[in-house]
Amino acid sequence: MQRSIATVSLSGTLPEKLEAIAAAGFDGVEIFENDLLYYDGSPGEIRKRCADLGLAITLFQPFRDFEGCRRDRLQRNIDRAERKFDLMQELGTDLVLVCSNVAADSLGDDEILIDDLRLLGERAGARGLRIGYEALAWGRHVNTYQQVWNLVRQADHPAVGVILDSFHTLSLKGDPSAIADIPGDKIFFVQMADAPILAMDVLEWSRHFRCFPGQGEFDLAGFLAPILRTGYRGPLSLEIFNDGFRAAPPRQNAADGLRSLLYLEEKTHRRLEKEGCPIEPGVLFTPPAAHRYDGVEFLEFAVDEAVGARLSGWLERLGFVRAGQHRSKDVSLLRQGDINIVLNAEPYSFAHNFFESHGPSLCATALRVRNGAEALQRACDYRGQPYRGLVGPNEREIPAVRAPDGSLIYLVEQAGEGQTIYDTDFSLDSNAQARGGLQRIDHMALALPADSLDSWVLFYKSLLDFEADDEVVLPDPYGLVKSRAIRSRCSSIRLPLNISENRNTAIAHALSSYQGSGVHHIAFSCDDIFAEVARAKEAGVPLLEIPLNYYDDLAARFDFDDEFLSELAYYNVLYDRDAQGGELFHVYTEPFEERFFFEIIQRKGGYVGYGAANVAVRLAAMAKARSGGLKRPRL
């Protein structure tokens, strides 16, 4: 299918938008009228620029308030249409979007609407042009695709067809299944937009909160599938009105747009196969299937020699053991349970450059996959940026792709005993034994700039086939934090993504420290949190002090005896319980050098959340620690 995007979806001048659209890999572009009006060149120059960039002009839009206008305005509207037809021919496009009339004094008689559409079709057809009629969700008399198709069918003119827009149907909770009854050759164009589900005026919703497919909550595959069943094979285009997009860099936004269309095509392909209605090969994007994950293989921190020694000391007090040294590089390996931590202080390396830019930070995450080559191919098919570093003697090359912040995601195949990447790359200490009982990486939380959350969600949903949980809003003493967790379908990898638009929140401090995105904290799971915290306290791990008032509240909410509450308070253990009776126990360390901190976590009874009920007290305790607040007396 021809992949297209409307210029209104991006920020910048019209030439900047066109260059970004071409660079992203789109086939075509919708020219939004205002973008052309604000351009100081001729339509012919835009036609040539698009041709030079390899872009087809798929549509000119919009032409407003024509059908059903007051009869004394009809001739003026016809003259207005003829001028737009002149412009279209200069642009080199044959299709104009005519949206349903929204004027309060417009006429709703079907015979008038049909006659007007037929008249406009005759004027357009005489010049080799076409009219695409679209229902606006807030149209005065016509606001559904069913009404549009009924009018187009009765107008019965070859130059008049239907334009379908996902937002206008799904925002009104319309059923798209009947689209399959429209002949494919009468569907002239298809526009796609996702959106969060909001209870607000549909016009305001449309103008400010649309987003790319995969970033919202609409069932876009359910909208596109019946369209394809009609035989439609024309352009598939994005039309996004979004305040954030209007301020975002156009190149990155255009790249996200194309990725979102590919993601929609893959989801639609799966939907059609599941329904027993597959379409011919090559119509939709079908990348290699995402492989099942089996957790995090290792985390790699960028450090220098001094920071590496301090971080190693922290981890050793948490029970990790130095298990090996790289055979040819200044890279050390620490282990505990199924957790592998790599500290990379190698000069003239990717990690060194990352350290120079961000300081001590997580520069790479390795995910366990069944087939690394296929996983990398999927990422590349989704326009991911592969990474290939310098490979030393006897060192294994691992497939990798860059994350949105420039860090690396390694895709590591599982190997048998004695054949792992650690056996190849490290001199291992066979006598090294971890002292703690931490088992695996439960989750990693990332701090992101406020305008990048949707881009990260789309990245993981498309390249790695992750799922996204609903967004939650959490209170910080100095503002609000928004969090949306993404996870592998098997839930062995979990990544809460956190943003804040306020300047003094914990997330804002993390972003300032990193000078960009960065890991906020890492949670390690265990089977006996009290034993682990007792050992950590004995080893001198600095734990985050939780106010005693928190435990008074626990006593009021849960039926705990005084001895158990005292134990929770003594060890600074936070507690949560879900509606199904699942329980969460968790403890936080203070931040390592004002960067990231660690969490020790124990889940019971199938608890799957992240302790959202305790975020406020944790953030308040962190704010107090940052300000040098007094420690509370111990019990």
Side-chain angles (χ1 to χ4, degrees):
M1 301 186 73
Q2 189 179 43
R3 301 179 184 110
S4 173
I5 186 172
T7 55
V8 74
S9 307
L10 305 177
S11 67
T13 65
L14 183 54
E16 289 172 335
K17 295 182 181 193
L18 296 177
E19 288 166 7
I21 290 167
F26 282 95
D27 307 306
V29 58
E30 299 178 40
I31 301 295
F32 194 72
E33 184 175 43
N34 285 356
D35 286 312
L36 190 62
L37 293 177
Y38 305 152
Y39 176 64
D40 61 0
S42 70
E45 290 172 359
I46 292 300
R47 176 179 185 171
K48 183 178 185 306
R49 186 181 288 265
C50 287
D52 292 343
L53 292 170
L55 292 173
I57 300 179
T58 54
L59 178 73
F60 175 71
Q61 65 126 326
F63 188 66
R64 304 179 188 274
D65 297 337
F66 178 82
E67 88 294 1
C69 67
R70 274 177 26 194
R71 296 300 86 183
D72 59 332
R73 295 177 183 168
L74 181 58
Q75 186 57 51
R76 191 172 75 178
N77 271 343
I78 292 172
D79 294 340
R80 181 166 60 95
E82 292 287 359
R83 288 196 293 272
K84 298 306 178 184
F85 294 161
D86 292 339
L87 187 151
M88 290 170 59
Q89 290 182 316
E90 286 187 68
L91 280 174
T93 186
D94 73 334
L95 181 61
V96 61
L97 182 152
V98 176
C99 49
S100 58
N101 203 321
V102 301
D105 61 355
S106 62
L107 307 174
D109 183 88
D110 277 3
E111 291 303 319
I112 292 175
L113 300 179
I114 292 165
D115 288 344
D116 285 356
L117 288 174
R118 187 182 296 120
L119 174 61
L120 192 60
E122 289 173 357
R123 294 296 187 109
R127 302 176 64 162
L129 305 176
R130 297 180 298 151
I131 303 300
Y133 187 39
E134 175 191 69
L136 296 180
W138 52 93
R140 181 71 176 86
H141 301 288
V142 176
N143 64 359
T144 70
Y145 75 85
Q146 291 96 330
Q147 291 173 289
V148 162
W149 168 232
N150 181 53
L151 296 171
V152 166
R153 179 177 55 80
Q154 294 185 75
D156 192 23
H157 194 285
V160 179
V162 174
I163 289 183
L164 298 169
D165 183 305
S166 61
F167 182 87
H168 295 306
T169 295
L170 301 180
S171 64
L172 298 180
K173 300 181 180 179
D175 181 1
S177 61
I179 292 174
D181 298 329
I182 303 174
D185 61 353
K186 294 303 290 184
I187 300 175
F188 283 2
F189 204 79
V190 173
Q191 294 176 320
M192 304 300 302
D194 208 340
I197 301 300
L198 300 172
M200 64 185 306
D201 175 75
V202 69
L203 177 58
E204 291 300 304
W205 187 12
S206 173
R207 287 289 177 256
H208 302 284
F209 296 101
R210 297 194 194 195
C211 54
F212 289 137
Q215 295 178 336
E217 300 175 77
F218 285 167
D219 179 13
L220 295 188
F223 180 82
L224 182 56
I227 294 174
L228 295 176
R229 285 199 291 268
T230 70
Y232 176 81
R233 299 296 182 266
L236 185 62
S237 193
L238 297 169
E239 185 193 40
I240 311 296
F241 298 90
N242 184 291
D243 294 345
F245 287 13
R246 292 186 179 102
R251 287 206 169 217
Q252 179 57 53
N253 216 28
D256 281 350
L258 184 69
R259 182 173 288 160
S260 77
L261 273 184
L262 299 177
Y263 176 76
L264 171 59
E265 289 181 33
E266 181 188 14
K267 295 302 178 187
T268 306
H269 181 266
R270 290 185 187 179
R271 172 74 66 94
L272 289 168
E273 283 196 328
K274 185 176 180 179
E275 294 174 351
C277 303
I279 62 174
E280 63 271 23
V283 173
L284 296 175
F285 173 69
T286 53
H291 287 266
R292 183 179 177 86
Y293 296 94
D294 189 24
V296 177
E297 180 61 50
F298 66 80
L299 300 179
E300 181 177 344
F301 287 88
V303 295
D304 62 11
E305 184 177 353
V307 171
R310 295 196 295 273
L311 182 53
S312 179
W314 262 67
L315 292 169
E316 288 176 53
R317 288 196 294 276
L318 279 168
F320 286 82
V321 63
R322 293 177 64 90
Q325 186 67 32
H326 197 280
R327 299 182 189 277
S328 61
K329 298 177 180 178
D330 189 3
V331 179
S332 55
L333 172 67
L334 291 94
R335 278 181 162 170
Q336 184 174 182
D338 194 35
I339 309 165
N340 296 292
I341 305 290
V342 172
L343 304 183
N344 191 334
E346 177 70 9
Y348 312 112
S349 65
F350 173 84
H352 175 76
N353 293 335
F354 207 86
F355 179 82
E356 289 292 307
S357 298
H358 304 286
S361 50
L362 184 70
C363 66
T365 302
L367 310 180
R368 293 191 187 111
V369 297
R370 293 188 178 179
N371 188 313
E374 286 191 5
L376 179 63
Q377 185 60 56
R378 175 186 174 86
C380 291
D381 287 350
Y382 265 112
R383 307 318 198 253
Q385 183 181 353
Y387 173 80
R388 184 173 184 178
L390 297 175
V391 181
N394 300 316
E395 187 177 8
R396 185 177 303 179
E397 183 175 356
I398 307 174
V401 64
R402 287 186 184 270
D405 64 349
S407 64
L408 300 181
I409 299 175
Y410 287 107
L411 303 164
V412 181
E413 292 183 27
Q414 293 177 287
E417 187 71 26
Q419 300 177 323
T420 68
I421 54 175
Y422 312 106
D423 296 303
T424 303
D425 295 3
F426 289 84
S427 296
L428 299 176
D429 182 354
S430 59
N431 296 317
Q433 295 292 325
R435 295 186 301 277
L438 303 182
Q439 297 173 331
R440 65 187 61 86
I441 295 169
D442 184 271
H443 64 271
M444 298 175 294
L446 302 180
L448 309 178
D451 60 356
S452 68
L453 177 60
D454 286 345
S455 184
W456 278 77
V457 169
L458 179 61
F459 175 89
Y460 275 96
K461 289 176 75 172
S462 57
L463 275 72
L464 302 175
D465 198 30
F466 277 31
E467 296 179 310
D469 295 337
D470 292 338
E471 183 180 283
V472 295
V473 179
L474 307 167
D476 181 284
Y478 299 102
L480 295 175
V481 172
K482 294 181 181 179
S483 182
R484 192 173 189 192
I486 54 175
R487 53 186 168 79
S488 60
R489 292 182 178 274
C490 60
S491 294
S492 68
I493 304 166
R494 305 168 184 236
L495 300 170
L497 306 177
N498 302 311
I499 64 171
S500 178
E501 297 177 351
N502 306 112
R503 293 187 300 173
N504 292 318
T505 61
I507 296 302
H509 280 278
L511 293 173
S512 176
S513 176
Y514 280 119
Q515 298 183 31
S517 306
V519 68
H520 189 236
H521 78 266
I522 299 167
F524 302 125
S525 66
C526 68
D527 280 340
D528 187 344
I529 194 165
F530 294 106
E532 289 308 306
V533 177
R535 190 201 54 72
K537 283 173 62 71
E538 180 68 23
V541 175
L543 300 177
L544 186 67
E545 296 274 3
I546 303 301
L548 291 176
N549 290 335
Y550 168 78
Y551 298 98
D552 290 338
D553 181 63
L554 282 188
R557 291 193 293 129
F558 300 105
D559 186 22
F560 293 146
D561 59 43
D562 291 343
E563 183 178 353
F564 184 65
L565 280 169
S566 295
E567 187 177 24
L568 289 173
Y570 178 76
Y571 289 116
N572 290 289
V573 175
L574 299 163
Y575 176 83
D576 190 30
R577 184 185 298 170
D578 63 24
Q580 291 72 42
E583 296 178 295
L584 176 73
F585 300 83
H586 54 144
V587 172
Y588 296 94
T589 72
E590 292 185 355
F592 172 76
E593 302 195 355
E594 302 304 319
R595 290 305 185 92
F596 44 81
F597 53 93
F598 300 103
E599 179 183 5
I600 301 173
I601 190 169
Q602 181 181 1
R603 299 176 183 272
K604 289 185 176 181
Y607 185 99
V608 298
Y610 301 91
N614 296 324
V615 169
V617 69
R618 188 258 294 174
L619 290 174
M622 291 182 65
K624 183 178 179 181
R626 285 199 307 271
S627 65
L630 296 175
K631 301 288 186 179
R632 68 171 165 90
R634 300 311 306 160
L635 296 178

